[in-house]
Amino acid sequence: MLEIKNLHAEIEADGREILRGLDLTVKAGEVHAIMGPNGAGKSTLSHVLAGKPGYRVTQGTATLDGVDILEMDPALRAANGLFLAFQYPVEIPGVGNMTFLKAALNSQRKARGEGEMSTPDFMRLVRTEAGKLKITQDMLKRPVNVGFSGGEKKRNEILQMAILQPKLCILDETDSGLDIDALKVVSEGVNALRSPDRAFVVITHYQRLLDHIRPDVVHVLSKGRIVKTGGPDLALELEAKGYADFADEAA
Amino acid sequence: MTIATAPQRRRTRAETDLEQAFEAMASALPGDIGPRAGAFARFAAEGLPHRRVEAYHFTDLRSLMVSAPPPAPRPSAKTRVSADVFAAVDAARAVFVDGWFMADLSDLSGLGEGVSVTSIAAALATGDEVLAALGARLDADVTAESDPLVGLATTFYGDGLVVRVAPGAVAARPLEIRHLSSGASVSAFVRHAVEVGAGASLQVIESHQSPNDLEFHAHTLTELTLAEGATVAWTDRQKEGDQAARFSSLALSLGKKAVLDHSVITLGAKLARTQIFARLGEACDLTTRGATLIADRAHADATLFVTHVGPNAVSRELYKSAIDGEAKSVFQGKIRVEKTAQGTDGRMGAHAVLLSPRAEAMAKPELEIFADDVACAHGATVAEIDDTLKFYLMSRGIPAAETERLLIRAFLGEVTDAIAHEGVREAIEAELDGWIDGRVAR
Ligand SMILES: Nc1ncnc2c1ncn2[C@@H]1O[C@H](COP(=O)(O)OP(=O)(O)O)[C@@H](O)[C@H]1O
Ligand SMILES: [Mg+2]
């Protein structure tokens, strides 16, 4: 599903190279965890895949179901099934959460040549998914993420994912800032979305999340490269030994 | 009639146009010529204001107002006008074309007991006592009285409305005042005087519209008085044509515990200036909000002089502009708190979002405080559309143009959401959407 080959990317402003020849292949139905020290480039990878401005890809390719996504604008990548749950979701004053969700869903459907979802169907969908994630009516009525706690923002990310039903879900440190109850709610939300034709890339610094979202493959990202790949045991090993073996100069 | 001129300076084309118009018309202008001649003499002594005049520093009319089309004659009774933005709103309607009240196009019924609406042209013809309402606000406010645009409207006005709401009366439906154009290249001069009695209430929906590619100058001078405990909601929306100029002056007086909720939406004109001269009495409440959306080489100015005279009054001024192309928005706001105005609570904000690299915004909020027990604040910001927010929205599949629409609407929402009348609010929101969608075409 996702095929990254020899990806090099740098910070546009200062030309500092962060991703230095990264390779990663994720098949449909799989859950991959990416772990690594702070500053290794995990968020950068997620940003480059989602098309965030401020980065320059200098070499390599990234394809989603065989289609090159690096040339697409972020909206088109999303319509093609890519979703990134951000490490730091932003607040958008003045844009209601419902207005936003509806615009997102219908824009994607339109880009794929599907019809808009009717308002009653949309309301029903949001109510069901919000209920599962313990997102209140009040949170739905407020502007996007405005006044939300850290945990509420993360749950709101998973709500968007549940509604948009992407093919490839990238979760960037979704566990940070969550207490154990919130972590369970979020993990259940993610697990409910697991399916043979959907894939997940779960970026995390800690093994804890992987007790709840069981990965098929675990990678270690260090200094902008995947330096080790293994099974779920690798996460336990890292938890025990730390990242000392892979220490980044920035960490 | 001779006009005192400063011999050392050549008049601009627009000044000459105005002088010639006054000389040609003076003997034919209806009513008492005294106040008109006085106003014009004051105007002519200084001429059009320029950047060395503080209140016009950012809006130099000597260079921006190139010429002045002739004052509009009364259009033929057969003039047709197209449907208006507020057509779906249930309201009594006063329709003006080129500044003249058109009785045949208007419907003033259903305002209810205690509300009277009179055409100034008709009153001038008969010397009606309602004319006493004109000038009362200006006499009390030297800043307003000495303003050159106020002076021009006072000189040339031919028509307008005197609206009176008797003490305790509640207007049964809104009064819409529509200002339209016949398509002629003229200057329209309108004067309104609105007096709302103690405890009375009124809702006014004002609109201004003229076609593109027409040099049309629209001058409006409105005096609005709220007696003790009166309540007024006033929404003013202008979408003049792309070659038009609009000059609106609003002189306000709020009595004890009066409440005015005012919004002005600026969507058009090549050159626009909205000025408010407010005098606030005891424990009254003034809110005025502005939303300006301009593009191309338009210049839109909102200038407020808010004077707290009585104690414990509240004033809120919030002006927002979205500026595209090479357009320029100007905000000037001065809150003055007199010694007598202890307990004043004033807050003023001016915020602009620049939608193109050549768009410009100027903001000059000021406080002048002579009382010691007051809470006043002001703030101004100029920003571009936030890339981080835009990316977040796009990352969910919302295309670039739509994200900008959402973010511009969100930015202006504080102004538009506050328009209490649902039909008016929806009509204005539809126009904002139209403007934003039009950006793609530009
Ligand atoms: N937009 C940016 N501007 C400047 N530096 C950045 C930016 N994004 C990431 N970096 C830098 O890139 C490096 C990797 O950061 P990041 O991808 O956030 O690491 P991780 O998520 O693995 O902790 C860090 O040194 C960080 O400071
Ligand atoms: Mg990170």
Side-chain angles (χ1 to χ4, degrees), chain A residues 11-14 16-19 36-47 52-55 87-88 172-173 203 205 221 248 250:
Chain A
I11 309 288
E12 213 167 48
D14 58 13
R16 193 148 52 96
E17 186 170 63
I18 307 294
L19 301 183
N38 277 326
K42 304 184 295 297
S43 291
T44 301
L45 171 64
S46 73
H47 290 158
K52 185 174 176 161
Y55 300 93
Q87 180 171 6
Y88 303 109
D172 189 4
E173 307 243 4
I203 295 171
H205 192 66
L221 198 161
D248 194 276

Side-chain angles (χ1 to χ4, degrees), chain A residues 52 75 84 107-108 157 160, chain B residues 389 391-394 396-397:
Chain A
K52 185 174 176 161
L84 167 60
S107 298
Q108 291 202 14
E157 295 288 289
Q160 293 163 36
Chain B
L389 303 189
F391 167 65
Y392 187 82
L393 294 170
M394 285 185 76
R396 299 312 183 227

